[in-house]
Amino acid sequence: GQQLNQSPQSMFIQEGEDVSMNCTSSSIFNTWLWYKQDPGEGPVLLIALYKAGELTSNGRLTAQFGITRKDSFLNISASIPSDVGIYFCAGLYNQGGKLIFGQGTELSVKP
Amino acid sequence: DVKVTQSSRYLVKRTGEKVFLECVQDMDHENMFWYRQDPGLGLRLIYFSYDVKMKEKGDIPEGYSVSREKKERFSLILESASTNQTSMYLCASASGTSGGLSTDTQYFGPGTRLTVL
């Protein structure tokens, strides 16, 4: 079945550093979504991407929908302590309408 | 803003008990979903519904059932709770299209952390 590989699994960075994470798939997706989950909370949508090649920003966050439609990237610039959490990518599997989630990237930011 | 609420943030139940987890959304979304989240396994889809009284099995439906009597409410039922159902349960909703299975962006509730003793 559909699988998403998200990497890295975890990151430990210094405040002010830039962060990059990505997701790859063996199949094509029509939509890519990036979520952030704070400890003990539900995931919150950060960025939605609907077209191959699309590059979208939300404050210090930038995400791209890969040209091949099989991957997506999320970058966070100038990280701050409140960026701590788990970041999930999700792809929309068109047949059946179910989202497929990556395993998550756990981000820790040292002040 | 979309608001998805879940009836409890924390729940402790005993093995064999019947457990109801409630989810309500206020955006007239057609599609609703139940996931469980476990460390190292990410989010796994249990059941989803694309219309009132309609339900579809997700990837791990065993041991669960659902009910959607009203559009805004989607309930997850554990008929006889077991310790391996200790988990974080997340509800989500999406606007979707009428009668179809395609979904728009999913919005999540805050989660219910269930412990089965």
Side-chain angles (χ1 to χ4, degrees):
Chain A
Q2 289 266 327
Q3 282 193 341
L4 276 186
N5 293 313
Q6 184 172 351
S7 65
Q9 285 190 331
S10 60
M11 301 180 76
F12 297 86
I13 62 169
Q14 199 77 30
E15 183 177 0
E17 287 183 12
D18 296 342
V19 172
S20 285
M21 59 191 79
N22 70 84
C23 279
T24 58
S25 168
S26 55
S27 303
I28 288 172
F29 287 120
N30 293 325
T31 300
W32 283 96
L33 306 172
W34 284 94
Y35 290 88
K36 183 195 176 197
Q37 186 176 26
D38 290 326
E41 301 292 332
V44 173
L45 182 68
L46 298 173
I47 293 178
L49 302 160
Y50 300 107
K51 280 193 241 181
E54 182 180 353
L55 185 72
T56 297
S57 293
N58 178 5
R60 294 178 295 106
L61 277 63
T62 302
Q64 184 159 26
F65 192 143
I67 287 291
T68 65
R69 293 166 66 190
K70 292 184 178 181
D71 57 7
S72 180
F73 304 86
L74 176 71
N75 296 319
I76 305 172
S77 62
S79 59
I80 59 178
S82 62
D83 289 335
V84 164
I86 302 177
Y87 292 79
F88 289 98
C89 63
L92 179 59
Y93 181 36
N94 216 34
Q95 296 177 23
K98 294 187 290 185
L99 275 183
I100 308 297
F101 285 88
Q103 300 95 330
T105 295
E106 186 166 7
L107 179 64
S108 301
V109 179
K110 188 176 178 182
Chain B
D1 280 353
V2 176
K3 190 163 185 187
V4 180
T5 57
Q6 295 182 228
S7 51
S8 305
R9 294 299 300 272
Y10 300 94
L11 211 51
V12 180
K13 296 290 181 181
R14 296 207 174 272
T15 301
E17 279 192 76
K18 191 168 184 175
V19 182
F20 292 87
L21 302 182
E22 305 283 343
C23 175
V24 177
Q25 50 93 3
D26 66 357
M27 285 302 292
D28 201 35
H29 282 173
E30 294 182 1
N31 298 334
M32 297 187 75
F33 307 80
W34 275 107
Y35 295 88
R36 63 177 283 176
Q37 183 179 24
D38 302 288
L41 297 177
L43 279 76
R44 293 181 291 167
L45 182 64
I46 305 171
Y47 266 97
F48 64 104
S49 166
Y50 54 89
D51 203 352
V52 175
K53 297 196 186 293
M54 304 300 286
K55 59 185 179 184
E56 291 282 339
K57 291 180 180 178
D59 300 318
I60 51 162
E62 295 79 20
Y64 303 94
S65 62
V66 289
S67 171
R68 189 142 181 227
E69 296 295 319
K70 293 184 179 180
K71 192 174 185 179
E72 67 271 18
R73 188 179 298 268
F74 192 34
S75 303
L76 180 69
I77 303 156
L78 287 67
E79 293 290 342
S80 177
S82 62
T83 54
N84 63 13
Q85 291 178 310
T86 292
S87 186
M88 173 75 139
Y89 289 88
L90 291 162
C91 174
S93 74
S95 59
T97 58
S98 178
L101 292 177
S102 63
T103 60
D104 204 337
T105 303
Q106 291 185 21
Y107 296 89
F108 285 84
T112 296
R113 185 163 292 284
L114 172 68
T115 302
V116 182
L117 302 175

